[in-house]
Amino acid sequence: MNESGGKVLDAELYSVKRTPLDSVKYFISKKLPQLGWGQTQGKEVVLDVGCGPGRNTIQLVLPLFPRAEKIVAIDFLPNMIEFARDHNYHPLIEYNVANIENWSMVEQWRGQISKLISIHCVHWMKDKRRGFQNMFDLLKLGGEAALCFVMLSPLFDVTLELETNPKWSKFYKDVDNFVPDTHINKHEPSRYIKMLEDIGFDILYYEEEEKSDPFSSDEEYRDFFASLCPFTSHVPSTQREEFKDAILQGMLKLNGRDGSGRPVHRTNIIEVVARKGRGTLNNSKSFQ
């Protein structure tokens, strides 16, 4: 079993949506500049945690930092990094296979990062406290982290429902991390804010709300969310289109369409921007 808990996502399917989600675009391109991101005169080293195939990295993160010395983009799925290197290359972006929860894979950037951004990755972390601690230790003193992650999503309800269907349940046996604990346990957002504060972060901005993201077509909607389901790659190619259709129908049942008839995704999201304070002697490797 690999670092992703047996999860293999399809980078090409994931990239069928050519533009970032509207809610992500607003957070990175509008909200973060309001908080001073991208306005630093000095060179910055930026870390993108959970970069996937690199679409957000090159379309949103790179333009936010016109004076960046470099952008380090990491993901724990090798196929995502391979796709990013092939399709979203830029000389300032350094793509690496790494798991933020595994200190040995990221310690080379200890204390070097001025800005850290993570979009729709934190909810997949099995040990969120460890992941947050490693983020803290990678940041420079006064460095900031911007996190956007899912608390509840219809996709996870659909995934759990398909698990009960005998036609698809046999493909679930090899994957042990297919729905995040944020969704299963219905944790309060305050749980994660407290984790960050206990580690030594100062919370600069926090919001939790339902976000709505429309898609241009049913096909784009179907393929994008099929790419996020860890079982799609386990289903034989002869049944894969039927499986993707089952995901589409389940998502439409829960999410519906907007006023223009477009399929829409509605999900509960946490957005946090936090600054690295001095932490504690017991918590932070930075003081060892």
Side-chain angles (χ1 to χ4, degrees):
M1 181 159 299
N2 60 27
E3 290 262 10
S4 63
K7 186 162 63 264
V8 178
L9 304 183
D10 191 317
E12 191 165 348
L13 265 186
Y14 185 87
S15 292
V16 72
K17 182 166 176 52
R18 300 301 179 186
T19 59
L21 296 172
D22 288 351
S23 59
V24 173
K25 284 192 286 188
Y26 183 83
F27 178 59
I28 297 177
S29 302
K30 301 294 184 182
K31 179 56 66 177
L32 292 184
Q34 291 173 14
L35 296 169
W37 282 49
Q39 299 171 27
T40 303
Q41 295 302 311
K43 294 286 188 179
E44 294 198 88
V45 178
V46 180
L47 178 63
D48 184 0
V49 176
C51 66
R55 182 182 59 234
N56 290 336
T57 313
I58 200 164
Q59 293 187 30
L60 297 178
V61 178
L62 180 64
L64 181 60
F65 296 99
R67 300 179 185 86
E69 179 180 335
K70 69 176 175 179
I71 295 173
V72 178
I74 66 172
D75 200 280
F76 63 179
L77 296 175
N79 64 319
M80 289 290 184
I81 293 300
E82 181 181 358
F83 188 96
R85 288 171 177 165
D86 290 342
H87 297 274
N88 289 308
Y89 169 81
H90 190 280
L92 288 181
I93 303 176
E94 177 186 304
Y95 292 108
N96 294 270
V97 177
N99 183 351
I100 191 63
E101 296 172 77
N102 185 334
W103 179 245
S104 67
M105 299 182 79
V106 297
E107 63 179 332
Q108 61 183 301
W109 302 294
R110 176 179 178 173
Q112 298 179 31
I113 306 301
S114 53
K115 294 290 192 297
L116 182 153
I117 190 164
S118 181
I119 303 297
H120 292 189
C121 169
V122 167
H123 51 269
W124 288 115
M125 296 192 314
K126 289 188 174 183
D127 187 344
K128 292 177 178 55
R129 184 177 294 275
R130 173 51 49 198
F132 290 154
Q133 181 68 63
N134 288 347
M135 292 178 185
F136 184 92
D137 291 317
L138 294 177
L139 286 168
K140 296 179 177 180
L141 185 62
E144 294 177 7
L147 313 175
C148 172
F149 58 99
V150 176
M151 293 300 294
L152 297 170
S153 171
L155 174 63
F156 303 142
D157 288 322
V158 172
T159 301
L160 291 169
E161 182 178 347
L162 289 175
E163 185 189 19
T164 66
N165 186 324
K167 177 181 286 188
W168 309 119
S169 60
K170 57 182 174 290
F171 304 117
Y172 280 53
K173 65 181 185 302
D174 295 324
V175 184
D176 69 352
N177 184 28
F178 55 87
V179 174
D181 63 345
T182 50
H183 184 93
I184 292 174
N185 298 319
K186 306 295 188 287
H187 287 148
E188 290 294 323
S190 58
R191 172 190 182 91
Y192 304 107
I193 298 302
K194 187 175 187 305
M195 279 187 193
L196 291 166
E197 290 178 329
D198 287 347
I199 287 167
F201 280 106
D202 299 320
I203 307 301
L204 306 179
Y205 164 81
Y206 162 70
E207 181 176 80
E208 186 222 350
E209 68 174 5
E210 183 182 88
K211 304 286 185 179
S212 296
D213 291 291
F215 284 68
S216 62
S217 68
D218 284 13
E219 182 180 13
E220 180 188 69
Y221 188 72
R222 181 193 74 151
D223 287 348
F224 179 75
F225 288 105
S227 77
L228 295 179
C229 179
F231 306 108
T232 303
S233 62
H234 293 258
V235 176
S237 57
T238 54
Q239 296 177 271
R240 199 164 296 162
E241 293 304 308
E242 184 182 0
F243 184 70
K244 292 192 303 189
D245 285 339
I247 292 174
L248 170 65
Q249 294 307 315
M251 292 290 289
L252 288 174
K253 180 180 177 181
L254 294 176
N255 272 321
R257 300 179 183 272
D258 66 9
S260 301
R262 297 176 300 179
V264 63
H265 180 233
R266 298 181 176 90
T267 186
N268 286 77
I269 296 286
I270 288 181
E271 295 175 350
V272 182
V273 178
R275 178 180 295 139
K276 177 176 179 173
R278 293 197 174 275
T280 68
L281 290 172
N282 289 331
N283 284 342
S284 178
K285 301 181 201 66
S286 300
F287 291 87
Q288 292 176 2

